[in-house]
Every structure is written in structure tokens, then in C-alpha cells.
Amino acid sequence: MFQKVKGFQDIYGEDCVYWQKAEKKVHRLFSLFSVREIRLPVVERTAVFDRGIGQTTDIVEKEMFTMPDGENDTLSLRPEGTAGVVRAYIENGLYNPPALKRYYYLGPMFRRENPQKGRFRQFTQSGVEYLGSASAFVDADVINLLMSYFETVGIADMLHLEINSVGCKVCRPAYQKKLITYFEAHKDALCEDCLRRLERNPLRILDCKQEKCRTVTKNAPLMLDNLCEECGTHFNNVQKYLKQFKVEYKINPLMVRGLDYYVRTAFEAVTDKLGAASAVGAGGRYDGLVETLGGPEIPGIGFAIGMDRVVTLMKEKEKLAESGAQVYIITFDDKSVEEGIKLLNGMRERGIAAEIDYDRKGLKNQMKKADRSGAKYALILGEDELSRNALTVRYLQDSTQVEMPLDKIFTDLQFK
Ligand code: HAM
């Protein structure tokens, strides 16, 4: 017997009810914020991610599913959505005419991570990208959208928002030097991974979960204390607007995101209900990414929500069940099948979910199946009733039943 691939999931049964609700809310809420859907390939040239996300990030270094394209290049399954949106934005000239463009996507992403609670190798993100504005006002409304989403699916009280500024190309290099000097002096106290990070991506040391590294990090210089004037003003303005949008937040000066394209605002919505996989949605500003991928100088900001994590939290909050048909149609001979199909079509045309028993193994057997189906009504087209141009309506919850003329069924039966 075959088994699914490690880190991949089969989603079925009532889980799909949660997924459908979570996804419906994405389309509804994001539209309310005037964000338009964009549907992109799950595969891009590997260089899009190498250049976009950054070669020294965990994602690009070790987590991408990469394959040869059969010619001289490699392709990768997308590990995230931002680089692809920016690629499409440039390729399709979507920056013309110049205006703020807002896109959202909903779909599978792939990362070869170690599977654990809330962490999969194929997972679903719903993401938003705003391209064309450097304003802190935009940052605040994007964060507002993220947090509003958690409200609409009923999990806002299980999360809190953390924000930080990661500086820009003006102030970050000097800060990075300071950080390296600091960690060089505390090399002995760092874990193996952080020693490697010190060479390749020193900011990531701030993010290390190892106790000994956290002790060193406590006294490390912070980006927030080393922002240039513009970044400082931008961060203050983001906070001012967040307050006006009534979005609560906490500053986490140690937050470093796992992707290299971020500048200035970075944010995460975190929970303590998912163990190590604590971010349910995260994002930030990425002025410079459009240029890095070969486009004009256009700023951007966005986020992505981990939908698998959303669904896990929703399940802790509410009980949703699969809804079956409302009506179960029971037939016997050819004549009753003919009437049954008319009823079936009529119900479906009126938006009433209906099913018919295809096996027709006697009344008792069909009634048992009707009960198990979860339907409210069984419509029984017996020979006797049909001879009177009628049928029996059985209310399955209390086993009461009435006879009703066939031509009155759509007008007289009250579907509760
Ligand atoms: P990210 O922080 O890498 O950002 O991922 C965003 C969210 O996706 C995470 O907070 C988490 O909920 C979910 N996620 C990530 N990896 C996994 C996994 N292996 N299994 C389950 N869920 C996962 C980005 O991807 C950026 N593209 C976000 C962004 C958009 N920034 C600007 N625009």
C-alpha cells in the first residue's frame, strides 16, 4: 500500500468544512479591502527565489524542491508567493499605469522543512502584496487587513501582533557590522548553527531558539537603536496609524524574518498554541525587491497567512460539521424512479441539496441510509402514493410523516 510523502497531507471529511470557511473569508475580506486576486504558477525558475528571497536564507539554502527543466536551467516549487508575484508584476508590466496595485493569492507552497505540529512540506498560504507605495499608512492598513482576517475567522483572541523595523540599505550595513563585532566577542557561547550564521547571515542569530544563544543575544545591539532618520520616522508613523486603525501591537526588537527582502517594517501574528510553529501570519515591507528581480524602483509590502495553522486554531474554537443533502429521495419501480429524478432535478434547481438512492433495495434499507445520510427529509415515492399522485414526506428527526400531493411538494414543503 502506498503512503503519502512525508510532510504532505490528505485533507478530507469535516476538515474540508473548516478549509472552505477559511478560504471563503479570504476572498470576501480581501475584496473588501480592494485587493484583487492573482493566480500564478507553483513553479518558477530557481533564480527567481535565489535572487528574491536571498541565497543565504534557510529556504533557499536547504528547503526548496528543485528539479532540472530538461534544458540548462533549474525550476523550483514555490516556497512562498512574494517573489512570484513580483516576477509577474514586472513581466506583465503591471506597474503601468503607475498606481498602487493590490494583489492576493491563495494556494500551496512547498518547503523541505522538518515536519512537526503546524509545519508541513506542502502548506497553503493566503498572501497579499501591495506594490507602488512607500507610505507608512499603507503598512498600517496591510497589517490591519492581516489582523482583520483573524477576527473574521474567530481566532483573533488566540494571537497577538508583533512588529519591528529591520532598517534599510542605508542603516543596516553599519548595524550589521556592529552586530558581527559583538558576536565575534561572544563566539564561544554560540551554537554551531549561529557560528555559521555569523559568517553568512548574522542577523539570524537574533532569532536562534537555543538557550545559550539567547543569553548572548540579550545584550546584543538592536536594529531599533540604530535606525537611520527615515527608518525611525517611518516606524513611528506605522505605529501612529496602527493606533488609529485600533490595531494592538507589541514591539519585538529581536524579530528577524527568514527572508532577505525585508526593509523597515516587519511583523508577525503569533500564537502560543502551536508549539515552535508560532507565526500564523507574517510579512513586511520589501522596497527594492522589484528592482532586484529586474524591474523599476517600486516599493512593496505584504504578508502571508499560514492557512493550515488558521484551520488548526479554528478547530479549537468551533465545531463545524459536514452538511449532507437536505432531502433523500426513495424510489422503487421504474415509474417512481422517473418521478424521483424529476424531484431531484427540481430540488437542485431550487438550491436544495438532494440525493437519490441509486441502489433501491427496499424501503427498510433505503430508510436506514436516509437516516445515516444526515438529511432532514426522506421523500418516499411508493406505488400506493403515486397512484394517488402523491408522495410521503418523512421528517427524519422525529420520524413523523405526512402524505403530500406531488405537485405541491415545492410550494408546500417548508425547508427548515
Ligand atoms: P513566511 O514567514 O515565510 O513569509 O511565511 C508566512 C506564513 O506561512 C508563516 O507565518 C506560517 O504561518 C506559514 N508557513 C510557513 N512555512 C510553513 C510550513 N512549513 N508549514 C505550515 N505553514 C507554514 C512568507 O512566506 C512571505 N512571503 C510573506 C510575505 C508576503 N512578505 C511580504 N509579502
Side-chain angles (χ1 to χ4, degrees):
M1 193 173 63
F2 290 116
Q3 289 186 333
K4 60 184 169 302
V5 179
K6 179 178 157 189
F8 289 69
Q9 314 172 74
D10 299 325
I11 300 170
Y12 54 89
E14 70 183 27
D15 280 359
C16 288
V17 184
Y18 290 90
W19 275 95
Q20 283 174 9
K21 179 170 176 182
E23 291 179 349
K24 212 185 275 171
K25 300 272 184 188
V26 166
H27 296 293
R28 208 175 289 157
L29 181 74
F30 291 9
S31 303
L32 200 62
F33 277 67
S34 300
V35 187
R36 306 269 173 265
E37 190 177 5
I38 187 163
R39 294 179 181 234
L40 297 174
V42 295
V43 168
E44 297 279 352
R45 303 218 162 268
T46 305
V48 171
F49 304 119
D50 275 1
R51 237 186 281 161
I53 300 169
Q55 274 178 326
T56 60
T57 57
D58 283 354
I59 297 179
V60 169
E61 265 187 357
K62 53 185 188 204
E63 293 172 0
M64 285 207 295
F65 289 95
T66 296
M67 62 204 127
D69 73 343
E71 288 161 24
N72 270 329
D73 204 357
T74 59
L75 307 175
S76 295
L77 292 182
R78 61 180 184 190
E80 58 103 56
T82 312
V85 170
V86 171
R87 192 270 309 141
Y89 176 76
I90 301 167
E91 182 176 346
N92 298 294
L94 300 176
Y95 44 83
N96 277 325
L100 174 67
K101 294 287 169 61
R102 291 172 266 224
Y103 300 106
Y104 78 87
Y105 48 87
L106 176 58
M109 307 290 160
F110 305 84
R111 295 183 194 176
R112 193 183 277 109
E113 293 195 82
N114 272 337
Q116 51 178 285
K117 189 174 180 192
R119 185 159 289 147
F120 308 99
R121 291 187 164 184
Q122 178 182 334
F123 56 99
T124 300
Q125 280 188 345
S126 64
V128 160
E129 313 296 348
Y130 282 38
L131 289 141
S133 172
S135 166
F137 197 174
V138 173
D139 298 26
D141 204 19
V142 166
I143 296 173
N144 181 34
L145 171 52
L146 172 70
M147 300 315 284
S148 302
Y149 177 74
F150 299 130
E151 288 281 347
T152 66
V153 289
I155 58 170
D157 60 349
M158 299 164 101
L159 294 159
H160 71 271
L161 170 68
E162 296 185 354
I163 62 168
N164 192 18
S165 174
V166 294
C168 68
K169 61 177 182 224
V170 175
C171 50
R172 197 159 43 201
Y175 165 69
Q176 205 150 315
K177 263 194 203 141
K178 260 194 200 178
L179 202 61
I180 293 171
T181 312
Y182 174 82
F183 283 126
E184 290 279 0
H186 295 84
K187 245 179 165 171
D188 300 347
L190 294 178
C191 73
E192 289 272 303
D193 281 344
C194 283
L195 287 175
R196 224 169 37 87
R197 288 180 185 127
L198 189 53
E199 301 290 317
R200 296 176 64 82
N201 203 342
L203 266 120
R204 296 290 309 179
I205 300 176
L206 299 175
D207 206 25
C208 183
K209 303 283 179 277
Q210 299 259 351
E211 205 44 53
K212 59 183 203 172
C213 300
R214 291 177 93 132
T215 314
V216 183
T217 299
K218 265 188 201 136
N219 296 316
L222 297 174
M223 186 70 244
L224 275 189
D225 299 326
N226 290 277
L227 295 178
C228 61
E229 201 182 327
E230 275 95 39
C231 283
T233 308
H234 188 90
F235 194 51
N236 288 337
N237 283 336
V238 172
Q239 294 179 64
K240 179 182 82 185
Y241 289 120
L242 280 178
K243 285 181 189 129
Q244 292 182 6
F245 276 116
K246 302 219 170 335
V247 174
E248 284 177 31
Y249 64 88
K250 222 166 78 179
I251 296 174
N252 175 1
L254 292 180
M255 184 203 304
V256 261
R257 306 272 301 117
L259 307 100
D260 278 356
Y261 47 62
Y262 291 116
V263 294
R264 297 197 167 158
T265 317
F267 51 91
E268 289 184 345
V270 295
T271 180
D272 54 14
K273 308 246 181 273
L274 289 169
S278 64
V280 183
R285 180 162 275 291
Y286 48 82
D287 307 347
L289 180 60
V290 180
E291 262 180 299
T292 305
L293 291 179
E297 202 183 317
I298 292 174
I301 177 166
F303 64 74
I305 297 170
M307 297 298 282
D308 307 76
R309 296 180 187 180
V310 166
V311 165
T312 306
L313 295 185
M314 282 169 76
K315 282 161 108 178
E316 281 195 26
K317 281 304 269 253
E318 67 174 323
K319 182 92 198 96
L320 296 177
E322 268 182 293
S323 56
Q326 249 195 319
V327 168
Y328 196 94
I329 300 170
I330 294 174
T331 63
F332 304 95
D333 57 12
D334 284 350
K335 166 105 179 72
S336 74
V337 169
E338 201 179 323
E339 287 302 329
I341 291 174
K342 276 191 217 157
L343 275 181
L344 187 67
N345 285 338
M347 294 291 168
R348 290 172 175 167
E349 276 161 18
R350 287 165 177 79
I352 299 156
E355 63 176 292
I356 193 163
D357 191 305
Y358 301 116
D359 297 329
R360 295 186 283 136
K361 286 197 187 138
L363 180 62
K364 214 166 144 196
N365 177 282
Q366 295 193 60
M367 279 306 299
K368 214 191 243 171
K369 282 157 79 185
D371 270 326
R372 256 190 266 140
S373 77
K376 272 207 175 131
Y377 305 95
L379 304 187
I380 306 162
L381 290 152
E383 204 177 337
D384 277 2
E385 294 98 311
L386 278 181
S387 68
R388 295 187 288 277
N389 273 326
L391 82 171
T392 298
V393 176
R394 191 173 170 93
Y395 189 50
L396 292 167
Q397 272 163 13
D398 61 10
S399 303
T400 51
Q401 62 184 53
V402 287
E403 190 169 303
M404 204 176 260
L406 264 179
D407 59 359
K408 289 270 167 28
I409 185 80
F410 294 118
T411 48
D412 288 12
L413 184 61
Q414 298 294 314
F415 292 98
K416 297 178 248 183

